[in-house]
Amino acid sequence: MSTQTLAPVLAPYADELVAFRRDLHAHPELGRHEFRTTQRVAERLQRAGLQPELLPGTGVVCDVGRDGGLGRPVVALRADLDALPLPDECGREWCSTVDGVSHACGHDVHTTAVLGAGLALADLDALGLLPGRVRLVFQPAEEVHPGGALDVLAAGALDGVDRAFALHCDPGNDVGTVATRPGPITSASDAVHVRLHGSGGHTSRPHLTEDLVFALAQVVTQVPAILTRRLDPRAGVAMVWGRIVAGGASNVIPRTGEVHGTLRCLDSTVWAQAGALVTEVVHEVVRPYGVRADVTVVRGVPPTVNDPEAVLVVEEAVLAELGPGTVTLAEQSLGGEDFAWMLEKVRGAMLRLGTRTPGGRTYDLHQSDFDADERAVLVGARVLGAAAVRALGEPGLG
């Protein structure tokens, strides 16, 4: 590649990419219903002279670069298309027009960054400066279980890929910086639902029935505590409840009650054991109270484990694109990310893209007022494109 960075290649697309991201933000779609988003991405790739292929349902895959066989390497850049079932309170002109749905996790930024990287790489390829193929993967349904990454793998969209890269908004870091980490960068994440059943009764006579609310309280407090003594503490296991439903009157012991939460774990081996143990522990906890428990553990995603060599590629690309001091060490997160399934098939890395305005507010992901500094869109496109080019030049790749 004759240009020192991708900045001059992407400069003509800067305003268009910001407008594209705003359009996606204003028209968010939930997992496996990203029909408009899929169409918008595919149409823009077609206008660039590329040949995008629609995945079954929703999602797009598009190769950039000459095929020609000969074992040329293939690097994938992945984005996620879906939004969250949350109202949008960002207060911007491009606020969501869909009631109760918003891009509160920044997937509009991810999608636009991968699109921008693809446009820049197509320009490089037209000049004969792309040393292999880059596969743009716009996947559906990252926010649901089972995630859309499994759909992508089932469709064969990663077949023949040698490396895979993705990014995720990080509102805890300033725009213009990227955080990386070799090894696990996110956690395994499962959904847990416990439903208790009893005969019900009056609160004046708890001894004549099963005190279901009291038993439910024991599940909420004791199960997470017991797991810390039954599982290796180095595995970073976290059992946290997010929803409790029981009863309708202060003097009535209800017949049913339920609690919903998540089970997270940083270690794949412990994760494989944890779901069955949660079920066992719940039954142990409620047995003295005479209630019956139904426990459902929905397997979510494994930890996202970054390949050290791929992380080095990303770090070198970031430093070349953005300059010294732009790479930081990412904290290990207990958040779940279904890019993990792709990294079980292909070596690669996920990076954290800074989206905070320097000196500005630190937003939280999955909150209705989440907002990102729009300069992150171009930064993400530059970094992903540069990482792909650098990976294609790795000795022995392909």
Side-chain angles (χ1 to χ4, degrees), residues 32-192:
R32 297 194 173 89
H33 292 82
E34 312 93 333
F35 300 108
R36 181 185 184 276
T37 308
T38 294
Q39 182 182 21
R40 292 279 286 122
V41 170
E43 287 176 349
R44 185 60 186 94
L45 294 171
Q46 287 174 335
R47 284 195 285 116
L50 300 171
Q51 297 180 329
E53 297 181 9
L54 301 183
L55 291 168
T58 53
V60 184
V61 175
C62 184
D63 279 5
V64 181
R66 298 174 181 85
D67 191 341
L70 303 178
R72 298 183 74 185
V74 181
V75 171
L77 301 179
R78 172 269 200 176
D80 33 16
L81 301 174
D82 58 328
L84 286 163
L86 288 173
D88 193 343
E89 300 172 356
C90 73
R92 300 289 192 173
E93 294 178 6
W94 51 91
C95 188
S96 172
T97 60
V98 182
D99 187 37
V101 182
S102 68
H103 273 295
C105 199
H107 291 189
D108 52 336
V109 175
H110 307 169
T111 296
T112 310
V114 171
L115 175 65
L119 297 176
L121 293 170
D123 288 347
L124 291 182
D125 183 58
L127 298 172
L129 299 177
L130 193 63
R133 279 189 294 150
V134 177
R135 182 164 298 165
L136 311 177
V137 179
F138 299 88
Q139 75 152 77
E142 192 277 331
E143 296 288 357
V144 299
H145 290 170
L150 295 175
D151 300 345
V152 171
L153 293 172
L158 256 64
D159 292 352
V161 170
D162 301 284
R163 291 284 188 278
F165 297 98
L167 54 73
H168 200 292
C169 289
D170 185 351
N173 283 326
D174 288 347
V175 65
T177 64
V178 170
T180 64
R181 186 182 191 91
I185 190 171
T186 70
S187 163
S189 177
D190 294 338
V192 180

Side-chain angles (χ1 to χ4, degrees), residues 214-227 239 241 244 285:
F214 188 83
L216 198 64
Q218 305 312 305
V219 170
V220 169
T221 58
Q222 290 193 43
V223 171
I226 293 172
L227 290 178
M239 175 78 250
W241 306 107
I244 302 174
V285 166

